Amino acid sequence: MSDEEKNVEEVEKKEEVVQQSEEKPTEQEQSEPPKEEEKQTVVQEQQEPPKEEEKPAEVELKQEEVKPPEEKKEQKKVNKAPTKRRPSLYEGFEENQQLFRPEFRFQNTDESKEKIYELMDAYLPRDKLSIQKSIVQHIEYTLASTRFDINEGYIFQGTALSVRDRLLEQWNDTQLYIKMKNPKKIYYMSIEFLLGRLLQNALVNLKLEKCYTEALMDFGVKIEDIYDKENDPALGNGGLGRLAACYIDSMATLNLPAWGYGLRYDYGIFKQVIENFEQKELPDYWLTKGNPWEIMRLDTQFKVRFYGTVKEEYRNGKQCKVWKGGEEVQAVAYDTAVPGFNTFNCNTLRLWRAFPAEEFSFDDFNKGDYQKALRSRDQASYITSVLYPNDNTLSGKELRLKQEYFFSSATVQNILRRWSRLNLPWKDFPKYNCIQLNDTHPTIALVELLRILIDDYQLDYKDAFDIVRKTFNYTNHTVLPEALEKWGVDIFERLLPRHLELIYLINYFFLEEVKKRYPGNGDKMMKLSIIEESMPKQIRMANLCVVSSTKVNGVAAIHSGLLKTMLFKDFYEMWPEKFTNVTNGVTPRRWIHCAFPELSNLLTEYNEGRDDWLSELDLLEEIPKRLDEKNQWPEFMEKYKQAKTAAKKRLVEFVKKNCNIDIDESFMFDVMVKRIHEYKRQFMNCLYCIYRYNKIKSMSPEERKNVTKRVTFFGGKAAPGYALAKNVIKLINIVANVVNHDNDVSPYFKMIFLPDYKVSSAQIIIPAANINHQISTAGMEASGTSCMKFVMTGSLIIGTRDGANIEIAEKIGEDHLFYFGKNVNEVAQIRKELANGKRNYVGSRLQECFNSILNNKFGNTNFMHDYVKSLIDGGDYYLTCHDFYAYMEAQEKIDEEYKDQEKWTKKCIEAICRMGFFSSDRSIETYAKEIWHVDECEVPKPALTKDARSVSSSNLKSLGDEK
Ligand code: F58
């Protein structure tokens, strides 16, 4: 037998096994799989959805040899880095050439389906006319609009649906291919995904932006205006949710077999409006115009239980625990395609939505109690109604815990359903599955997996826990004590009684280990315990994560260091190998290319005409070298300045539209946009604005001529219950009102609060900045990610030695940013001194700023008086006073340096080109290599002819060679 035939035979044998496993699981450990809840009766909001999970009987895939992924390492390059200089997606194909679906191994036994296969052989065409037809067809046939009603809203919907069609092909191919190859899979669990608009992102990643731009031009519309019609899906608060969005983009770009899992909230983060200088919150019902991107999966639903009781029962002669009763809610999957950049791979973001498990009680309905009949229905759907709007604080509400468990349970059940089809022994589970917890909010997923393994599959605790620990990893995003999740034991007992028992069990075995390691050390036990012995007792979710995960990582070097030395010091002493760092990153596709197209084009032009830097950001390092060699700095700088002016003009227009204020792009644009929080110190920036105002006001007209003209922008939401943060917004607006209406000062200085800061406005604001504020008290900002976006788009940081600022400074050079303030060790020392009664020095210039507030110079600012007094009295935990003078000095340096535009511009360009490290592709590569141990799984390229698709042994061979 030739190698080729052996190969075919082996594959076929394997396939038999796989087919058998679909019908009857044979492995002993899997003797009783949990019942899959299939329900097809949920109110249908979409047309018949295409199925991903269900394997149609007639298109049976042949599974790649089922060998633990780890063992495969011998055969191929371990953790292959993304191919450098990957050719452009359609390179090698003629423009507008008909392309065919790639060569998969199908078992086309049902000849009657040949016609269908043939019809689905070809990819949708990419030429202008076909695209135009598909847009108008969707407008008429999907949206049921007449041709006389068409407006930009319809064109957006039609365009999005037409793009989605093209995404779906790649998505289906990717999912089939992953099923066939059966690689180790990554599950990225995050309670928030702050995606931002998707249309441009999809077009850019699919390399279809040019085709669609031209197609729409003939309709008399500019594609930018169509982008503007899309609602922001804002299912996140800030950094954590946005990071998750960047990461799924990078996972797809790196061809990783990965899924994002989260919640599909009906209401995203509230809309912020400013009325009477104050923040008002309005609900964000982001689905008003429908969501063209999502696919509701009626075939992917799971029941999730709450409350109930735990009983002991005998099953298969074994005593076991059964959790029964309570309420059940149905989790239904809503999928969004996540295309990678310049690859045919397309992953899935799966968001769960809650539905009632039973439609409504007919009994109550028949008795005439209609309201009662519908109540349970409503209550079930409350679970995914609204995103909690807290950033770095806890809500502690039962509904929040319900959200967390609902999300976790549905996800774990889904992962297990995918796994159970493989019919492999449980011990191999961690070799095929890796779950990354984006903070502690999905922690209960690890207890859920443990529960199912023990209660439904009767694994021993030790074996089950071993599987759990090997499968899970945990990313921490904060050291702020108020943001660390804790749940009262009482609430757990009611809502999740079985999970509480299991948490006690995990803690019991863990504390046994602690006792052995530190005999008689009660203090260690107390510190390390998962249960805090407070009144009432609390479950420390972060401790549960550390105990039950393989790796724990922080999100910037300084933060990961603090985890080892402070937050998880005692854990680090026990398990040093568990702790690691993965510095955050952001996707250059959205944050450079989409947000700042002029800069993107310029970088491509000077990258020898290639845009491969977008997935290989380190390539930008070559540009300054080339500019040196070819003496091209002056022309490049000129073009760069034009690009920056274009970005600033966009913000000028935005400000006119949203704030009705006229500003001038010749001013320096100084930007601080982020959630409002005391530790981020927007108040300190506002104090400086007061200082600047007072100073300019006191100058003579002659002196004013020397002032660097500046607009200071603020933006960001305050959690609705965070009074101080809301007061800071009010103060900024009150001061801004005076500054902007003062004819002496406003020609030199303006202040603007940009309302409703969100991803789509960030894409306008960030590229327009010349300077950006990253001024958190050292040690408080875990990483920060906007700092990366700002520097990548040509703005310099004024910032502290905190979070990612430190690594940015290392990469771009300390002379390329404006550092100030105490470092993390000094902060600790000063806090000690403050606690010991030492008072901060409030010099005359700071006192004058405080007085402006205390004397209500800008209007009624009584609401800030107590806070200001407390700072003066030593309640300066965040070192606002202590860092103020260093901050002022840095500000003065900025004013001076900005005067030399040539020097400033060069610094910005050099900084941009040194930011390769901060691409989220690098972060994800690090996760893949060092934490997940997962390989890429690249979908084969399209075939050039139909014939290449027929099933023959030669095709099997060619597939075997694929990679
Ligand atoms: C942020 N955390 C960190 N949390 O503050 C920031 O330094 C870091 O760059 C970013 O994560 C990404 O690592 C953050 O955004 C939240 O918003 C939580 C959302 C869920 C509720 C508790 C706060």
Side-chain angles (χ1 to χ4, degrees):
M1 212 190 275
S2 69
D3 280 357
E4 182 185 320
E5 284 161 338
K6 271 193 222 151
N7 186 13
V8 175
E9 196 180 76
E10 225 178 279
V11 170
E12 279 169 357
K13 263 196 235 150
K14 204 73 248 173
E15 196 213 9
E16 272 171 36
V17 175
V18 172
Q19 279 178 348
Q20 278 171 14
S21 75
E22 286 295 308
E23 292 145 23
K24 45 179 172 77
T26 48
E27 278 293 327
Q28 226 199 334
E29 292 98 318
Q30 299 198 353
S31 55
E32 223 186 278
K35 283 194 198 83
E36 224 172 70
E37 302 300 343
E38 303 286 20
K39 189 171 170 225
Q40 300 282 343
T41 52
V42 171
V43 193
Q44 188 141 2
E45 297 192 346
Q46 313 253 159
Q47 301 158 323
E48 191 63 2
K51 297 182 176 185
E52 179 241 21
E53 287 293 319
E54 292 300 283
K55 198 184 279 182
E58 62 280 7
V59 185
E60 198 65 282
L61 287 172
K62 300 198 175 189
Q63 190 119 28
E64 172 84 333
E65 194 173 350
V66 181
K67 211 189 274 177
E70 251 87 332
E71 289 167 31
K72 287 189 202 161
K73 282 180 186 167
E74 294 297 325
Q75 300 158 20
K76 58 180 180 178
K77 213 174 142 201
V78 184
N79 298 321
K80 199 172 150 245
T83 326
K84 301 267 158 158
R85 300 241 178 229
R86 210 193 258 170
S88 180
L89 200 55
Y90 297 110
E91 208 169 294
F93 303 124
E94 312 253 312
E95 202 176 347
N96 298 338
Q97 183 178 4
Q98 178 63 72
L99 298 176
F100 295 90
R101 311 293 282 268
E103 305 166 349
F104 289 123
R105 256 175 275 178
F106 293 100
Q107 187 202 7
N108 296 348
T109 47
D110 186 350
E111 290 192 359
S112 68
K113 297 279 159 63
E114 277 305 321
K115 185 70 197 167
I116 295 178
Y117 303 147
E118 199 195 318
L119 285 169
M120 295 176 80
D121 249 0
Y123 280 111
L124 289 173
R126 286 169 288 118
D127 62 284
K128 185 164 88 175
L129 185 61
S130 305
I131 286 171
Q132 289 170 335
K133 277 187 186 163
S134 81
I135 295 172
V136 294
Q137 274 166 4
H138 273 298
I139 294 177
E140 177 142 34
Y141 305 121
T142 314
L143 305 170
S145 166
T146 79
R147 58 194 181 282
F148 305 109
D149 290 331
I150 291 179
N151 55 25
E152 287 188 345
Y154 279 119
I155 295 180
F156 161 69
Q157 302 267 353
T159 306
L161 289 166
S162 140
V163 174
R164 193 184 80 174
D165 289 344
R166 281 147 182 85
L167 276 176
L168 278 169
E169 298 174 330
Q170 303 198 355
W171 193 10
N172 283 338
D173 289 349
T174 308
Q175 300 313 312
L176 282 166
Y177 190 69
I178 291 175
K179 237 178 202 176
M180 187 175 78
K181 288 290 209 186
N182 190 32
K184 184 173 186 179
K185 300 170 182 73
I186 299 305
Y187 298 110
Y188 192 84
M189 292 185 69
S190 178
I191 198 131
E192 299 186 353
F193 281 90
L194 190 44
L195 294 175
R197 291 174 175 164
L198 296 176
L199 177 56
Q200 189 184 8
N201 183 248
L203 286 174
V204 167
N205 282 12
L206 296 176
K207 298 234 156 187
L208 288 175
E209 196 177 22
K210 191 165 160 264
C211 305
Y212 272 79
T213 306
E214 286 167 8
L216 289 174
M217 219 123 73
D218 286 355
F219 293 175
V221 286
K222 282 202 290 202
I223 200 161
E224 292 78 18
D225 296 337
I226 298 307
Y227 292 153
D228 228 19
K229 291 286 155 209
E230 184 172 359
N231 274 344
D232 273 42
L235 309 184
N237 271 284
L240 175 144
R242 183 54 231 173
L243 186 78
C246 284
Y247 279 4
I248 54 173
D249 179 88
S250 283
M251 285 184 243
T253 299
L254 293 170
N255 298 324
L256 296 181
W259 282 255
Y261 274 101
L263 287 177
R264 182 190 178 279
Y265 305 100
D266 298 329
Y267 294 89
I269 185 75
F270 62 86
K271 275 193 196 314
Q272 179 194 54
V273 287
I274 303 295
E275 270 176 28
N276 268 333
F277 309 119
E278 286 178 34
Q279 166 177 301
K280 288 270 171 317
E281 301 93 22
L282 298 178
D284 167 46
Y285 187 66
W286 63 289
L287 296 160
T288 41
K289 298 183 217 153
N291 177 2
W293 304 109
E294 68 186 7
I295 306 275
M296 182 195 198
R297 299 284 189 190
L298 290 173
D299 54 351
T300 305
Q301 312 193 21
F302 300 95
K303 283 211 162 83
V304 177
R305 186 188 306 284
F306 295 102
Y307 309 106
T309 48
V310 180
K311 301 246 158 68
E312 293 213 347
E313 278 182 11
Y314 275 89
R315 269 198 198 163
N316 303 331
K318 245 181 146 182
Q319 193 188 21
C320 56
K321 300 272 185 120
V322 187
W323 177 32
K324 280 188 169 165
E327 290 171 9
E328 279 184 331
V329 175
Q330 198 77 18
V332 179
Y334 282 68
D335 287 354
T336 302
V338 184
F341 172 75
N342 197 31
T343 167
F344 288 96
N345 279 52
C346 184
N347 286 343
T348 307
L349 170 63
R350 176 159 287 177
L351 304 179
W352 300 107
R353 182 178 181 192
F355 281 93
E358 283 146 24
E359 272 306 298
F360 59 83
S361 159
F362 254 110
D363 221 28
D364 291 329
F365 189 78
N366 288 335
K367 281 187 223 149
D369 195 346
Y370 305 125
Q371 281 191 348
K372 189 172 169 208
L374 293 172
R375 209 171 299 138
S376 96
R377 209 202 123 83
D378 291 349
Q379 271 174 0
S381 39
Y382 285 161
I383 294 180
T384 48
S385 280
V386 57
L387 167 83
Y388 275 91
N390 302 323
D391 163 79
N392 278 307
T393 45
L394 283 181
S395 88
K397 297 276 189 311
E398 181 169 304
L399 185 60
R400 171 64 167 195
L401 186 57
K402 274 191 166 175
Q403 289 185 336
E404 293 185 359
Y405 178 62
F406 173 79
F407 161 41
S408 299
S409 175
T411 306
V412 168
Q413 289 184 63
N414 197 186
I415 294 169
L416 287 174
R417 179 165 95 177
R418 212 170 275 131
W419 162 254
S420 70
R421 289 178 175 149
L422 301 176
N423 199 32
L424 290 164
W426 279 115
K427 68 171 173 43
D428 286 345
F429 187 83
K431 292 180 189 156
Y432 285 93
N433 300 286
C434 180
I435 302 178
Q436 187 68 39
L437 299 175
N438 193 29
D439 218 315
T440 55
H441 322 108
T443 307
I444 195 68
L446 66 90
V447 190
E448 177 72 345
L449 178 60
L450 190 70
R451 181 187 73 80
I452 295 174
L453 294 178
I454 295 174
D455 295 355
D456 294 348
Y457 292 102
Q458 276 100 53
L459 262 68
D460 288 344
Y461 170 81
K462 290 233 156 99
D463 293 341
F465 185 72
D466 197 48
I467 291 168
V468 167
R469 196 181 37 75
K470 285 180 177 156
T471 304
F472 281 86
N473 299 293
Y474 155 56
T475 306
N476 172 287
H477 293 266
T478 188
V479 293
L480 294 189
E482 65 269 31
L484 291 175
E485 263 202 309
K486 287 178 190 172
W487 286 105
V489 160
D490 45 350
I491 185 171
F492 246 85
E493 196 156 24
R494 237 175 337 110
L495 199 67
L496 302 166
R498 179 61 182 140
H499 296 79
L500 180 63
E501 287 183 3
L502 289 167
I503 291 171
Y504 278 135
L505 203 61
I506 297 172
N507 201 34
Y508 168 79
F509 283 110
F510 166 58
L511 290 181
E512 286 299 297
E513 224 179 306
V514 177
K515 261 191 229 162
K516 257 190 227 150
R517 172 90 189 247
Y518 304 103
N521 190 340
D523 185 50
K524 274 269 184 246
M525 302 260 285
M526 223 169 60
K527 281 193 197 145
L528 287 165
S529 175
I530 295 168
I531 309 291
E532 187 175 279
E533 297 295 332
S534 46
M535 282 290 283
K537 282 190 197 173
Q538 308 253 347
I539 303 169
R540 298 161 166 163
M541 302 306 264
N543 289 26
L544 178 55
C545 275
V546 176
V547 171
S548 318
S549 303
T550 299
K551 290 276 180 192
V552 176
N553 75 283
V555 289
I558 179 179
H559 170 59
S560 298
L562 289 170
L563 294 185
K564 292 179 189 174
T565 53
M566 310 280 288
L567 192 63
F568 299 134
K569 182 171 184 286
D570 299 286
F571 284 110
Y572 177 64
E573 197 178 292
M574 267 185 92
W575 299 314
E577 69 293 342
K578 213 183 249 246
F579 291 85
T580 185
N581 171 58
V582 183
T583 299
N584 283 343
V586 301
T587 168
R589 273 78 65 184
R590 181 176 294 267
W591 295 109
I592 305 181
H593 182 79
C594 295
F596 198 170
E598 298 86 353
L599 175 64
S600 179
N601 294 341
L602 184 61
L603 294 172
T604 299
E605 185 187 337
Y606 284 80
N607 183 45
E608 300 177 331
R610 289 185 312 263
D611 69 359
D612 49 1
W613 59 271
L614 279 167
S615 49
E616 227 18 75
L617 201 58
D618 283 332
L619 289 174
L620 294 185
E621 277 171 31
E622 300 304 313
I623 291 181
K625 289 183 204 158
R626 259 183 240 128
L627 296 179
D628 282 336
E629 275 164 25
K630 298 187 182 167
N631 247 333
Q632 282 177 327
W633 273 104
E635 64 173 70
F636 188 89
M637 275 169 50
E638 202 34 55
K639 287 180 184 169
Y640 170 83
K641 280 189 207 160
Q642 282 168 15
K644 194 75 186 173
T645 306
K648 289 176 86 167
K649 281 190 171 152
R650 269 196 293 277
L651 182 57
V652 169
E653 249 178 62
F654 179 91
V655 169
K656 181 71 189 161
K657 192 168 153 209
N658 291 284
C659 314
N660 197 24
I661 300 177
D662 290 302
I663 49 166
D664 181 340
E665 69 269 6
S666 67
F667 278 46
M668 176 205 291
F669 283 7
D670 165 7
V671 180
M672 180 170 195
V673 279
K674 48 184 79 253
R675 287 299 289 254
I676 314 291
H677 204 292
E678 209 180 347
Y679 83 81
K680 295 181 191 269
R681 301 198 291 194
Q682 280 92 353
F683 179 61
M684 189 160 87
N685 188 353
C686 187
L687 282 175
Y688 178 73
C689 290
I690 291 173
Y691 170 78
R692 197 174 177 92
Y693 169 81
N694 288 340
K695 190 169 169 197
I696 298 175
K697 185 81 186 163
S698 68
M699 284 176 180
S700 66
E702 205 46 38
E703 283 169 327
R704 283 184 195 141
K705 283 188 188 149
N706 201 28
V707 169
T708 302
K709 293 181 180 177
R710 192 195 283 223
V711 187
T712 298
F713 296 91
F714 290 86
K717 295 176 184 176
Y722 191 172
L724 177 60
K726 292 178 101 171
N727 283 341
V728 169
I729 293 179
K730 191 172 171 185
L731 178 71
I732 292 168
N733 281 306
I734 287 177
V735 175
N737 184 48
V738 171
V739 171
N740 298 342
H741 288 100
D742 188 312
N743 292 337
D744 293 334
V745 178
S746 65
Y748 305 94
F749 176 48
K750 283 199 172 72
M751 273 173 82
I752 294 186
F753 188 90
L754 299 158
D756 203 33
Y757 180 61
K758 55 185 173 183
V759 177
S760 59
S761 46
Q763 289 180 218
I764 297 171
I765 297 163
I766 293 175
N770 300 113
I771 194 88
N772 69 95
H773 269 73
Q774 311 297 340
I775 58 174
S776 51
T777 317
M780 309 300 293
E781 187 72 271
S783 159
T785 42
S786 74
C787 46
M788 302 168 190
K789 300 165 195 169
F790 276 108
V791 180
M792 281 180 193
T793 50
S795 151
L796 301 182
I797 291 175
I798 172 166
T800 46
R801 289 167 178 81
D802 197 20
N805 293 353
I806 298 177
E807 285 154 90
I808 294 178
E810 280 166 17
K811 301 284 176 198
I812 68 174
E814 279 203 17
D815 55 340
H816 284 59
L817 79 169
F818 300 91
Y819 249 161
F820 73 90
K822 303 291 176 210
N823 68 27
V824 63
N825 297 326
E826 291 163 341
V827 167
Q829 184 55 35
I830 289 163
R831 281 184 182 158
K832 260 189 214 154
E833 290 169 9
L834 282 173
N836 290 335
K838 190 169 165 201
R839 290 295 155 253
N840 271 349
Y841 168 74
V842 179
S844 58
R845 284 178 297 173
L846 177 58
Q847 188 63 54
E848 193 197 319
C849 299
F850 282 153
N851 289 345
S852 298
I853 297 172
L854 294 172
N855 301 333
N856 291 341
K857 174 168 179 176
F858 294 92
N860 183 348
T861 50
N862 287 346
F863 55 92
M864 288 304 284
H865 289 184
D866 286 348
Y867 181 65
V868 167
K869 284 180 202 153
S870 76
L871 291 182
I872 297 170
D873 285 350
D876 188 18
Y877 185 76
Y878 296 100
L879 270 65
T880 304
C881 304
H882 229 109
D883 276 345
F884 191 72
Y885 287 92
Y887 174 56
M888 285 196 351
E889 246 174 61
Q891 290 278 29
E892 274 157 27
K893 200 166 163 215
I894 289 169
D895 282 337
E896 271 324 292
E897 288 204 12
Y898 196 71
K899 286 178 181 153
D900 185 344
Q901 272 297 298
E902 296 308 290
K903 214 169 144 191
W904 182 280
T905 305
K906 190 156 190 233
K907 268 191 187 176
C908 292
I909 295 167
E910 282 166 350
I912 292 170
C913 295
R914 294 172 189 167
M915 286 296 284
F917 182 78
F918 301 97
S919 163
S920 45
D921 298 343
R922 187 272 313 151
S923 313
I924 289 300
E925 265 188 278
T926 312
Y927 278 102
K929 235 178 240 174
E930 292 171 16
I931 299 183
W932 303 337
H933 307 292
V934 65
D935 291 318
E936 67 172 350
C937 182
E938 187 182 353
V939 175
K941 292 235 173 319
L944 288 169
T945 65
K946 276 183 176 193
D947 297 340
R949 290 275 329 288
S950 64
V951 179
S952 71
S953 55
S954 68
N955 270 344
L956 293 182
K957 168 86 180 7
S958 75
L959 190 80
D961 292 344
E962 197 74 58
K963 217 54 214 66

